[in-house]
Amino acid sequence: MIRKKIVIASTLAAAVVALAGCAASGTPQDVQALADQTFKASFLPGKGQDLTRLEQDQTQIDCSVSKAAPSETLAETIKARVAKSIVYPADGKLMGDWKAGAKVFNDGFAYRIGSFIPSKPDAVRAGNCYACHQGEAKEAAYGNMGSSLQHWGKIRGQSEPIVKYTYEKIYNAKAFNACSAMPRLGHNQILSPKHISDLVAYLVSPDSPLNK
Ligand code: HEC
């Protein structure tokens, strides 16, 4: 058993090294073939996981090929493509319930394996925002890959453009920053339009503890 674990660990380590190598010199097809060969074959086979997320879409291919530094023209193409794909809540309300939004912001479930099963739309798939952003002052453990979101609405107000930007940024950050490293939480159905509108309220509303 221990031996098997070591073999798996070293196979994965080799795959990561090989993937890093391919990202530098291989074509997107090389990277895909390697992902198919290693992850698809060995990663929880037969457990009903949906592994289609290992297949790069055009935006990911564009960002891989340009090493996340697209030309101005390519960046505009990506942003226009992404902007067209944003889905809004059916009732058109981009500001939902900040209390529900606080839960989504705090919950670390996001991309956890097992949460990403499109046939289970009700599975919890929260935002894990603290992994990368500072939020409420009382929360000491937060990542800093993204900027602090503390006092988001207090600083920016609640105008229509701010509400719209906040919604669209969370839905798919690449609408504004073509090769953003922020996960595409709406696009990838980790969060529903309702979840996102609740997050917008949590970020923007003056009643939200984030703005106290
Ligand atoms: C894996 C890290 C990561 C996670 C998780 C993440 N973000 Fe981000 N986010 C970033 C990065 C990096 C940026 C800055 C780059 C950019 O603008 O695309 C950013 C930018 C933003 C911005 C725009 C900030 C500005 O000044 O314009 C907002 C709003 C935001 N994130 C909200 C969220 C919310 C809400 C969540 C949880 C649902 C979340 N993010 C989860 C990495 C992350």
Side-chain angles (χ1 to χ4, degrees):
M1 189 59 199
I2 289 173
R3 210 192 141 101
K4 200 172 168 194
K5 269 190 191 155
I6 291 169
V7 171
I8 292 173
S10 56
T11 309
L12 273 179
V16 169
V17 170
L19 269 175
C22 276
S25 59
T27 64
Q29 288 77 10
D30 292 336
V31 177
Q32 188 60 52
L34 194 65
D36 287 350
Q37 196 186 319
T38 52
F39 293 100
K40 277 197 181 168
S42 64
F43 202 59
L44 297 178
K47 293 267 171 80
Q49 301 291 337
D50 186 317
L51 294 181
T52 50
R53 76 195 221 199
L54 293 181
E55 280 157 31
Q56 289 198 314
D57 61 26
Q58 192 55 48
T59 297
Q60 290 170 314
I61 291 171
D62 289 345
C63 290
S64 293
V65 170
S66 65
K67 298 190 174 60
S71 68
E72 219 168 287
T73 321
L74 181 57
E76 290 312 315
T77 306
I78 295 171
K79 288 192 275 183
R81 180 197 298 142
V82 169
K84 268 197 286 184
S85 71
I86 293 178
V87 176
Y88 299 90
D91 62 7
K93 286 192 189 136
L94 302 189
M95 280 262 265
D97 168 7
W98 70 257
K99 286 186 184 139
K103 285 195 194 129
V104 178
F105 194 96
N106 276 284
D107 193 320
F109 213 84
Y111 279 83
R112 196 178 298 175
I113 290 166
S115 66
F116 196 81
I117 304 173
S119 60
K120 288 192 178 172
D122 299 332
V124 182
R125 303 172 196 177
N128 200 18
C129 313
Y130 275 115
C132 299
H133 293 281
Q134 182 178 25
E136 285 181 49
K138 69 173 188 202
E139 177 56 67
Y142 56 85
N144 60 6
M145 188 176 152
S147 51
S148 172
L149 299 177
Q150 203 174 94
H151 297 155
W152 177 261
K154 195 175 176 179
I155 296 166
R156 294 167 183 77
Q158 310 162 57
S159 64
E160 211 186 308
I162 289 294
V163 168
K164 191 165 177 282
Y165 168 67
T166 309
Y167 183 93
E168 292 173 345
K169 185 75 190 174
I170 301 170
Y171 189 95
N172 190 342
K174 288 180 166 63
F176 302 94
N177 175 3
C179 293
S180 170
M182 176 162 152
R184 299 176 295 173
L185 294 146
H187 174 85
N188 284 336
Q189 296 174 23
I190 300 294
L191 300 178
S192 66
K194 164 83 172 82
H195 287 133
I196 299 175
S197 67
D198 291 342
L199 274 170
V200 171
Y202 177 65
L203 286 176
V204 169
S205 167
D207 299 331
S208 163
L210 192 78
N211 291 318
K212 299 291 180 194

